[in-house]
Amino acid sequence: MEQMSWKMFIVTKAFLLYLTSCVFKVRVAGKLADVCATCHVNATCDDKMDGSGGKVCNCMYGFLGNGITQCQDKDECQIGAGKICGDHTVCHNTYGSFYCTCLSGYSPSNNLVIFIPNDGTQCNDIDECKVQGICGEGGWCTNMQGDFNCRCQVGYKVQNGSQPFHPHHDKAFCKAINCGQPPSVTYAVQLSEAGTRYGSVAKFGCLEGFFQKHGNNTAVCGEKGVWEGLNLVCEEIDCGEPPALLHSVMIWNKLTKTWSGSGSGERG
Ligand SMILES: *[C@@H]1O[C@H](CO)[C@@H](O)[C@H](O)[C@H]1NC(C)=O
Ligand SMILES: *[C@@H]1O[C@H](CO)[C@@H](O)[C@H](O)[C@H]1NC(C)=O
Ligand SMILES: *[C@@H]1O[C@H](CO)[C@@H](O)[C@H](O)[C@H]1NC(C)=O
């Protein structure tokens, strides 16, 4: 009798233990499911690394946080474009990732618009001056790191701005220097056809019956856009009264100027 009750006790105890373990297992299973259900949308539910069979929420690649309430995009660009993408770059953060582009004035050596670090891509200076006419007519292009600028060539003058200028940002442009028609000189004629552009030369000669009293007979179209140097003064040739000779009679037409200039100045 006593033997029986002892056996019963053991069986009952074992049964109870079994029940308890079952309940525990159910609870654990419930807890497992719960863990995964609590994971953030940008997290994955992974096996615990400690071999306990437990589960854990891990933020996905490129996200930082506890995996449950927080998986924030990690701003990889925060440490600086130069450090992460290289020289002359711009770093662009995206959800869960990032990419690199070159600063304006630089082009990526992979010839694509974007690149990722360590793929061997470099940002190289673009020689904008290779583009014909980038500075416009009469412009002189100078390439610089990441940029360029323009000055005017000899014979051209900057308009609506100052030098150096940037044709993309400034209104300035180069215009050919033009002096217009050469000036006229009293009692003189222009000896040769001259242009009107910078460096053009116009020479003058006094009219017949006139002589070059003083001054410069050459006009040069200068960089200010005006004719320079010319200050020729032509004067009518006038011999005055002929000298009187002793013991002689003078037959004189009373003219003192050259034959052609007898009209005294009418040709001016
Ligand atoms: C999860 O990531 C996606 C982009 O991958 C993003 O659009 C979304 O807003 C994120 N969700 C939350 C709750 O942060
Ligand atoms: C240059 O500027 C003047 C006024 O300052 C303006 O009238 C003219 O249109 C400008 N020229 C060009 C080509 O922009
Ligand atoms: C006359 O003026 C021009 C323009 O300034 C100059 O180049 C030239 O040397 C001058 N000639 C003389 C003889 O002075």
Side-chain angles (χ1 to χ4, degrees):
M1 188 62 187
E2 212 162 76
Q3 285 269 323
M4 270 296 275
S5 69
W6 181 241
K7 271 184 188 162
M8 276 289 284
F9 174 74
I10 288 172
V11 168
T12 312
K13 189 85 182 177
F15 180 71
L16 278 174
L17 265 174
Y18 170 76
L19 272 180
T20 315
S21 89
C22 279
V23 167
F24 179 72
K25 272 185 185 155
V26 166
R27 267 208 199 137
V28 168
K31 215 177 175 188
L32 283 180
D34 283 347
V35 168
C36 289
T38 59
C39 286
H40 191 273
V41 286
N42 287 327
T44 52
C45 195
D46 303 321
D47 289 330
K48 266 189 172 165
M49 298 299 267
D50 60 8
S52 63
K55 290 280 184 179
V56 66
C57 298
N58 288 317
C59 290
M60 294 191 300
Y61 180 78
F63 291 85
L64 284 181
N66 57 20
I68 296 164
T69 55
Q70 207 180 35
C71 277
Q72 271 191 332
D73 175 44
K74 182 171 128 191
D75 187 356
E76 293 88 352
C77 296
Q78 225 168 28
I79 65 160
K83 283 199 178 116
I84 195 157
C85 292
D87 289 340
H88 317 304
T89 59
V90 184
C91 182
H92 303 264
N93 185 50
T94 61
Y95 255 113
S97 188
F98 73 103
Y99 62 89
C100 307
T101 58
C102 290
L103 279 172
S104 89
Y106 292 85
S107 87
S109 56
N110 67 356
N111 289 321
L112 298 175
V113 178
I114 67 168
F115 61 94
I116 52 164
N118 301 319
D119 71 351
T121 304
Q122 282 187 328
C123 289
N124 300 321
D125 175 51
I126 298 170
D127 186 356
E128 293 88 353
C129 295
K130 280 186 176 162
V131 178
Q132 278 286 317
I134 194 161
C135 287
E137 193 209 330
W140 183 260
C141 183
T142 305
N143 184 50
M144 300 183 296
Q145 279 291 308
D147 207 359
F148 73 101
N149 65 30
C150 301
R151 288 175 181 277
C152 294
Q153 292 172 13
V154 171
Y156 288 81
K157 202 178 166 189
V158 68
Q159 303 283 315
N160 288 17
S162 58
Q163 309 191 79
F165 62 90
H166 200 295
H168 298 166
H169 320 143
D170 303 334
K171 282 185 182 160
F173 59 97
C174 296
K175 197 178 167 201
I177 292 170
N178 193 321
C179 291
Q181 288 302 314
S184 57
V185 181
T186 320
Y187 307 133
V189 285
Q190 195 182 320
L191 298 177
S192 58
E193 274 302 311
T196 60
R197 298 275 294 265
Y198 173 81
S200 294
V201 175
K203 281 188 185 271
F204 292 81
C206 294
L207 291 172
E208 248 186 292
F210 292 78
F211 72 101
Q212 185 168 340
K213 195 178 179 201
H214 54 75
N216 186 339
N217 75 334
T218 305
V220 177
C221 178
E223 56 185 24
K224 287 181 186 137
V226 293
W227 291 97
E228 289 169 358
L230 182 70
N231 55 3
L232 175 65
V233 176
C234 294
E235 208 170 84
E236 197 165 18
I237 296 166
D238 188 342
C239 294
E241 270 188 40
L245 288 177
L246 283 175
H247 317 299
S248 67
V249 174
M250 180 168 61
I251 301 164
W252 176 36
N253 64 2
K254 300 288 179 189
L255 295 177
T256 61
K257 298 167 183 177
T258 63
W259 179 248
S260 58
S262 58
S264 64
E266 71 180 5
R267 296 184 59 184

